[in-house]
Amino acid sequence: MTHFNRNISEVKKKVLYEQPLNERMRNLLRLEHLFVGMMYRLKGPAEWDNRAVIDNLIEILDFIARVDFKIELIKDLDHHIQTLTQWQRTPNINTERLADLINKTTVFKEKLEQVNGQLGEYLSQHQLMQLVRQRRSIAGGGSRCDLPVYYHWLQKNPKQRQVELNEWLEPLLSLRDAIDIILYLTRQNAITSQQTALHGLFQSQTEPLSQCQLIQVILPMEHPCYPEITGSKQRLSIRFFEHPQPEEPPFQTEQSVHFKLCCCV
């Protein structure tokens, strides 16, 4: 199965910063972050790799328990399918690529619709997961003296642990795939421009912001500054800060910063 923009910072010799302009997009970015970390550590055979996977999994379960993401994601996928279908009438468009995106989006939507109940509900009675979850509020609560049953599971053969982890994660992959393609389609539909922040400050009240879901700022690798982005449907403000000494507070730069701005609509 194809995954979309698994690492959004893989812009050649560039660093990409993102800022959502609504809570829905912020939730998708947070879940993407958790899935990326979880799937990366899933490859590792060590006890601490598996601990990190469990921690990320519990964070995802806690996150999606607050909102019925399935309904919202199905609505989003429906919207994108309709938009992509309308684009098929656009002259000189890559119809083969468009058909592939429509097909993938439709498959991911159907998989979500096949999930009974809330996403992750199947793990609510998972005994080991619940024991770890209960001890997470205590510093070091997952140690072998506090949770010997967890430590016992972590001593299994690494291949066996990975098989079990993949079984536990399988029902959540429809959530990950839906998030991936929604963010992919949003990021691909971007209005891009070259901008300059005079004395480290850029402000805009341009028309595209009314439809903008996500702001991206792209800087050269090793640039001395990083952006702090604040925005709404009417106004965008970007301040660039320097932080040469990690033990000292950052400060707004006095230099003019040239950067690429993407408004994903």
Side-chain angles (χ1 to χ4, degrees), residues 167-202:
E167 289 175 354
W168 302 343
L169 297 178
E170 178 65 29
L172 284 177
L173 295 185
S174 59
L175 169 63
R176 182 200 60 176
D177 291 338
I179 291 169
D180 273 356
I181 199 164
I182 289 170
L183 289 175
Y184 173 81
L185 293 170
T186 302
R187 288 167 176 147
Q188 290 298 302
N189 193 27
I191 300 170
T192 303
S193 59
Q194 295 291 336
Q195 301 291 348
T196 300
L198 298 175
H199 305 296
L201 175 63
F202 172 83

Side-chain angles (χ1 to χ4, degrees), residues 69-253:
F69 269 88
K70 185 174 69 173
I71 294 175
E72 295 303 317
L73 287 174
I74 289 172
K75 288 180 181 177
D76 281 345
L77 293 170
D78 257 332
H79 170 74
H80 284 295
I81 291 168
Q82 291 170 16
T83 302
L84 291 169
T85 302
Q86 291 171 0
W87 285 355
Q88 287 182 313
R89 296 191 290 270
T90 305
N92 302 319
I93 199 165
N94 186 335
T95 54
E96 184 177 343
R97 173 62 176 155
L98 197 57
D100 182 58
L101 285 172
I102 293 171
N103 179 62
K104 283 187 170 67
T105 308
T106 302
V107 169
F108 295 157
K109 172 177 169 284
E110 290 172 350
K111 286 185 176 181
L112 272 182
E113 289 174 331
Q114 291 167 7
V115 176
N116 293 321
Q118 288 191 327
L119 293 164
E121 189 176 358
Y122 69 100
L123 284 173
S124 61
Q125 303 302 319
H126 191 291
Q127 187 62 30
L128 181 60
M129 204 72 62
Q130 289 306 307
L131 288 170
V132 177
R133 206 173 192 172
Q134 291 165 9
R135 304 295 295 184
R136 290 183 78 242
S137 60
I138 303 170
S143 68
R144 57 186 173 185
C145 66
D146 283 282
L147 276 178
V149 63
Y150 186 29
Y151 184 68
H152 173 70
W153 179 79
L154 289 164
Q155 305 316 302
K156 283 186 176 182
N157 181 282
K159 290 184 179 179
Q160 177 61 29
R161 294 201 309 266
Q162 193 164 53
V163 167
E164 293 182 10
L165 284 171
N166 278 305
E167 289 175 354
W168 302 343
L169 297 178
E170 178 65 29
L172 284 177
L173 295 185
S174 59
L175 169 63
R176 182 200 60 176
D177 291 338
I179 291 169
D180 273 356
I181 199 164
I182 289 170
L183 289 175
Y184 173 81
L185 293 170
T186 302
R187 288 167 176 147
Q188 290 298 302
N189 193 27
I191 300 170
T192 303
S193 59
Q194 295 291 336
Q195 301 291 348
T196 300
L198 298 175
H199 305 296
L201 175 63
F202 172 83
Q203 291 181 312
S204 175
Q205 292 178 294
T206 55
E207 178 61 28
L209 285 176
S210 62
Q211 299 298 321
C212 192
Q213 303 286 314
L214 182 68
I215 293 292
Q216 295 179 328
V217 170
I218 302 174
L219 292 169
M221 192 73 73
E222 306 299 335
H223 195 284
C225 298
Y226 70 90
E228 285 194 356
I229 309 166
T230 55
S232 65
K233 296 296 184 182
Q234 291 78 36
R235 187 179 182 85
L236 173 66
S237 176
I238 305 174
R239 296 180 185 273
F240 288 87
F241 289 84
E242 296 185 46
H243 195 201
Q245 302 297 330
E247 65 274 14
E248 299 291 335
F251 56 89
Q252 186 171 326
T253 187

